[in-house]
Amino acid sequence: MIKLAKLPDRTPVKHGFSATPELNRKLIDYAAFYLEAYGEKAEIADLIPAMLESHLDGDKAFVKWRKSAEAGT
């Protein structure tokens, strides 16, 4: 029997959203900050999913709620 579990669905889901001019400036600045930190350019469209994932994983109340919601189903 294979020890590695079956890989989860990794099919990307595309989302679209509108940003305020201020948020857009912040995203542009964050991409510049990323370039300075890592020496590699990253497109805003590539940074946003990672930023959202980091935010959601770091929100302790959300993580707790999600675990409780999953346990209830």
Side-chain angles (χ1 to χ4, degrees), residues 4-66:
L4 179 68
K6 185 177 178 186
L7 294 175
D9 182 4
R10 294 171 287 150
T11 306
V13 177
K14 189 166 182 130
H15 289 278
F17 75 99
S18 297
T20 63
E22 178 61 21
L23 177 56
N24 187 54
R25 284 189 291 276
K26 288 178 182 179
L27 290 169
I28 291 167
D29 288 347
Y30 197 88
F33 180 51
Y34 182 93
L35 174 62
E36 186 176 304
Y38 294 110
E40 294 179 13
K41 182 179 180 181
E43 298 298 325
I44 291 171
D46 295 325
L47 290 171
I48 290 173
M51 293 165 72
L52 287 171
E53 185 104 27
S54 175
H55 173 77
L56 294 173
D57 289 347
D59 186 329
K60 291 179 184 180
F62 173 68
V63 170
K64 182 179 177 183
W65 174 85
R66 193 161 186 240

